[in-house]
Amino acid sequence: MHMAAPADQVSSKHFVLVHGVCVGGWAWFKVATWLRSAGHRVSTPDLAASGVDPRPLREVPTFRQYSKPLLDLMGSLPPGEKVVLVGHSLGGVTIALACELFPEKVAAVVFVSAFMPDHRSPPSYVLEKIHTMIDFLESRRMDWMDMEFKPQDPEGKLPTSMRFGPLVTRAKFFQLCSPEDLTLGRSLMRVGSMFVDDLKLQPPYTEARYGSVRKVFIVLKDDNAIFEGFQRWMVQNYPVDEVREIHGADHMALLSTPAELARCLADVAGKYAACIDDGVAPVPRCRY
């Protein structure tokens, strides 16, 4: 795929790209390459027990600890710097937590077919709701196929682990990706968790902090994991500043449609984020 960025892209933004469950910062490598070639700064942190982070999952008992690498990055930003914070899949709950703690450091937050909490319910609400809402909206339930869910300890104090099997990976998450990207994904995936039980215990993120950040939701039209109907329900449940969509994108649009996704992110940044170097006028809305 041709990844060249527009030659007239001159405004530099700082993007922080947050991965979903069982993968790592590596999943953004195509999008990050496009954005960097356009002159932007890009950070792709590995969350705890993800990517090349050395910790095993059993040493990460809470969602807050899982999210700590991102929270540390946000806390290290110099005063006055604002980033474009992007989350994919479970990364939506992680970036929502970062917005709650550091709203003054976020120019805009972008949910890429990502779980998007509201400020009325515990953060677990959207993770639990997907099972009933998929049946109502799509007349089908998510078939987890060969996905493995296992307790990590007999007492149930540690979060339930999950592992992607080859069938569900190919059919639900990577169905429009190249065979090479599917092989890469399968080789780099790790055991992860959704941390649902821990998130049930957390208070809702607040309207004053998380709710104050400008929000964009990118709908992936051909997502077989978080179906389009559920993506749009999340936006209905918690309206955002703007909804965009990418056609021909499966759940792993980071790999299947990286140029389209990167252009959309650059467009969002041009519209909502103050330029790091010089001020520029908003660019037109993208639609793919």
Side-chain angles (χ1 to χ4, degrees), residues 39 55 67 73 86 89 142 149 155 217 226:
R55 285 165 287 192
S67 304
L73 186 157
V86 183
S89 198
M142 174 62 176
F149 296 92
E155 299 81 17
F217 197 101
I226 302 178

Side-chain angles (χ1 to χ4, degrees), residues 44-246:
T44 57
D46 285 318
L47 301 180
S50 305
V52 298
D53 184 272
R55 285 165 287 192
L57 182 63
R58 64 182 300 107
E59 293 181 9
V60 186
T62 69
F63 188 78
R64 183 71 170 257
Q65 289 170 298
Y66 168 71
S67 304
K68 191 174 184 297
L70 172 64
L71 304 181
D72 289 346
L73 186 157
M74 297 297 293
S76 72
L77 295 173
E81 180 174 343
K82 292 191 174 188
V83 301
V84 179
L85 189 55
V86 183
H88 172 246
S89 198
L90 183 62
V93 185
T94 310
I95 61 175
L97 174 60
C99 289
E100 177 69 16
L101 298 176
F102 303 99
E104 74 285 355
K105 294 180 180 291
V106 184
V109 62
V110 184
F111 295 84
V112 182
S113 189
F115 291 104
M116 183 171 65
D118 55 40
H119 59 250
R120 301 176 302 274
S121 310
S124 62
Y125 176 66
V126 287
L127 301 177
E128 298 176 286
K129 196 71 173 176
I130 189 171
H131 300 290
T132 57
M133 291 303 295
I134 282 177
D135 188 47
F136 173 73
L137 293 167
E138 306 282 348
S139 298
R140 54 180 173 171
R141 288 188 180 274
M142 174 62 176
D143 180 1
W144 292 107
M145 302 175 73
D146 57 347
M147 184 86 78
E148 294 181 0
F149 296 92
K150 291 183 178 179
Q152 294 193 83
D153 62 314
E155 299 81 17
K157 295 180 179 179
L158 295 175
T160 300
S161 72
M162 61 185 294
R163 183 192 297 271
F164 285 76
L167 298 180
V168 73
T169 301
R170 182 183 304 108
K172 304 295 184 181
F173 293 86
F174 284 69
Q175 87 271 10
L176 298 178
C177 292
S178 70
E180 294 83 0
D181 287 337
L182 175 61
T183 299
L184 177 70
R186 287 286 302 140
S187 66
L188 295 178
M189 282 181 170
R190 295 177 59 179
V191 174
S193 177
M194 302 288 278
F195 296 93
V196 174
D197 290 338
D198 177 63
L199 288 168
K200 286 180 184 178
L201 304 176
Q202 307 309 313
Y205 301 141
T206 64
E207 183 176 9
R209 297 181 68 81
Y210 166 58
S212 69
V213 179
R214 304 294 296 273
K215 297 176 181 66
V216 175
F217 197 101
I218 299 178
V219 173
L220 305 181
K221 297 281 290 180
D222 295 286
D223 191 333
N224 282 348
I226 302 178
F227 298 119
E228 180 183 356
F230 188 73
Q231 294 176 61
R232 296 194 183 277
W233 175 84
M234 286 191 285
V235 172
Q236 247 186 340
N237 177 62
Y238 194 53
V240 297
D241 293 276
E242 190 172 354
V243 177
R244 304 185 177 213
E245 58 188 39
I246 301 178

Side-chain angles (χ1 to χ4, degrees), residues 103 247 249:
H247 293 264

